[in-house]
Amino acid sequence: MVVSGSSDRSEIVFFDIETTVPTRPGQGFGILEFGSILVCPRKLVELESYSTLLRPTDLSLISNLSVRSNGISKDAVLSSPTFAQIADRVYDILHGRIWAGHNILRFDCARIREAFAEINRPPPEPKGTIDSLALLTQRFGRRAGDMKMATLATYFGLGQQTHRSLDDVRMNLEVLKYCATVLFLESSLPDIFTENSWVSPNAITRSRSNGKVSPDGMVRSMYTSSSSVKIENLQTSFSNQSRDGNHPILSLMTPNTADKVPDRAESNIAGPDPFDLGIMIDEVERESLRLDETNEEESGSESESSTAAESEAPTGYAAFLKPVEVSTPSIRVSLAPFYRGTQRIQILHKDITLQLRCNHLKVRFGINRKFVDFAGRPRLNFVVDATPDLCEVLDACDKLAQRLSLDSGSSSDWRPVLTRKAGFSNSPTMRLQIPTVAAGNVARWVTEIYEKESSTTPQRLVFEELDTLLTPGTFVDVYLSLDPYDYQQNAGIRLVAKKLIVHTN
């Protein structure tokens, strides 16, 4: 069917491509099929559709492995047009509209850009993007398994995925409808769904807890490093996700702030991480700041009695423990309410959130600016050597948090908080994050950063160039929080620097 352009181009275009499968290093992809549907964002009904098989310029790219993947053989495409012959149609379908699809940011968008580059034409640009893989992983969670389209379709009883473009985009739309309905019902009746049938957003249907999940699907285990298990009813509340004036589908859109679609070929340079949930992280950081301010007020009286050596720290840091002050048998982990009805792992020490104060850590690698968020702000981090007593604490936290992650049904790959390289077993390292948050049009550090020369009082830094400050061999004192995360099939503990004192003597 011919897709005609729309004057306001307000439709959402769901699209999918089928490609050859590379069989050797350096071999590219050949597009074998393009399929798309235009969807009304108000009614979620299909308006128009277009699909066609495509003949790659090099037919040898269609290997047996490629045929097994999608069933498209050389004979099937011999009489089909090349991409260059339908490029105008594809451009008209995509340009200036909201793009939607499953894993499109990592795959389909990159292949589209490559195809236009091969014929020396500028690629179409989206008004915004909705990648259902990233979206559903965060909002719906892994209760359906590995979040592949075939798995999601099976979960909702939508039939088998055919791996043909037009069928796949229609299935994608149906999966989104089903997921949105479930989330709407859960937010409408939070008490019922939360108490009786809540499933962790990062959980798979069949838990790996070996009997430690109750019949109603709710995880009830709380772990301690002394191997004792305290039975708790884990409850969460779903926040109201509605936004005045925001359409429920358009509110899921990722704006095209970078004016380009991320390409895997550019992954070795700084650029927006296509799976960086920047907007959500900003909201979480603001909430974290609000909680920190509350904690500072509550712990202010304790700070007044701190020692002279600790008096350099602002009030609110008295609750941060030195590693030697931590009793590993007193460490435990549990699930706690988090962002918009989700839950996250929290790490406790004697029933208080564990936060650490580490002195004289040596910088191994300086500031890394490889990744930026959706607004172009750098995600700053650097690497330090971990002391033996700190390693003992972090290893205990890592073990407990990973166990709870598995037993709550997460299928994510766990990334150890400490890095141990072969041949360097006595020198484990850890990566410290310096988060930034938007304040109007300006980004600012969340971390309090000070510079200390010899015995002088630390001086607060505001816009200092960190690259020249945090160089290898520099020593730092760090007040850090342990923030477990689980998104985009990766999980672990993020070490966030709340306060940093850089020694520059």
Side-chain angles (χ1 to χ4, degrees), residues 294-306 315-319:
T294 301
N295 291 337
E296 288 179 13
E297 293 176 0
E298 294 176 350
S299 58
S301 58
E302 298 179 29
S303 300
E304 295 176 359
S305 61
S306 59
T315 59
Y317 289 97

Side-chain angles (χ1 to χ4, degrees), residues 137 140-148 151-152 155 198-210 213 217-219 404-413 486 489:
T137 298
F140 190 72
R142 293 187 179 85
R143 66 185 86 182
D146 60 14
M147 302 308 290
K148 293 181 179 179
T151 308
L152 288 162
Y155 181 81
W198 184 85
V199 182
S200 169
N202 289 313
I204 56 177
T205 306
R206 183 178 60 190
S207 174
R208 291 180 251 181
S209 61
N210 298 323
V213 174
M218 187 186 298
V219 181
L404 179 55
S405 175
L406 289 172
D407 284 0
S408 63
S410 174
S411 60
S412 299
D413 294 328
D486 190 334
Q489 300 179 4

Side-chain angles (χ1 to χ4, degrees), residues 287-303 314-320 352-355 481 498:
E287 178 66 11
S288 177
L289 286 175
R290 185 188 66 78
L291 294 175
D292 287 346
E293 291 170 357
T294 301
N295 291 337
E296 288 179 13
E297 293 176 0
E298 294 176 350
S299 58
S301 58
E302 298 179 29
S303 300
T315 59
Y317 289 97
F320 287 69
I352 299 175
T353 300
L354 178 60
Q355 301 177 102
S481 65
K498 296 294 186 181

Side-chain angles (χ1 to χ4, degrees), residues 17-130:
I17 60 173
E18 296 297 330
T19 70
T20 59
V21 179
T23 57
R24 64 177 184 273
Q27 187 180 54
F29 296 85
I31 298 181
L32 299 176
E33 187 176 36
F34 175 87
S36 65
I37 58 174
L38 290 188
V39 175
C40 171
R42 298 293 171 182
K43 298 180 180 179
L44 298 185
V45 295
E46 181 179 325
L47 301 175
E48 298 180 19
S49 66
Y50 172 77
S51 68
T52 181
L53 289 171
L54 295 169
R55 185 180 73 252
T57 54
D58 183 2
L59 287 174
S60 66
L61 292 175
I62 305 179
S63 62
N64 291 333
L65 179 60
S66 176
V67 175
R68 288 197 299 270
S69 174
N70 50 43
I72 302 175
S73 64
K74 294 179 182 179
D75 292 339
V77 300
L78 281 177
S79 60
S80 300
T82 63
F83 184 82
Q85 292 174 308
I86 59 104
D88 287 339
R89 180 73 58 80
V90 173
Y91 189 93
D92 181 62
I93 292 171
L94 296 178
H95 188 66
R97 287 193 169 102
I98 299 168
W99 296 4
H102 204 67
N103 198 31
I104 59 170
L105 286 171
R106 282 288 175 90
F107 188 78
D108 303 75
C109 294
R111 304 291 81 79
I112 290 292
R113 296 187 70 85
E114 291 170 357
F116 274 91
E118 287 175 2
I119 60 175
N120 297 314
R121 290 187 51 175
E125 298 293 349
K127 181 186 298 183
T129 56
I130 301 174

Side-chain angles (χ1 to χ4, degrees), residues 225-242:
S225 56
S226 59
S227 300
S228 64
V229 178
K230 297 182 179 181
I231 305 301
E232 300 282 349
N233 284 327
L234 302 178
Q235 297 183 340
T236 185
S237 60
F238 288 85
S239 62
N240 187 349
Q241 298 183 24
S242 63

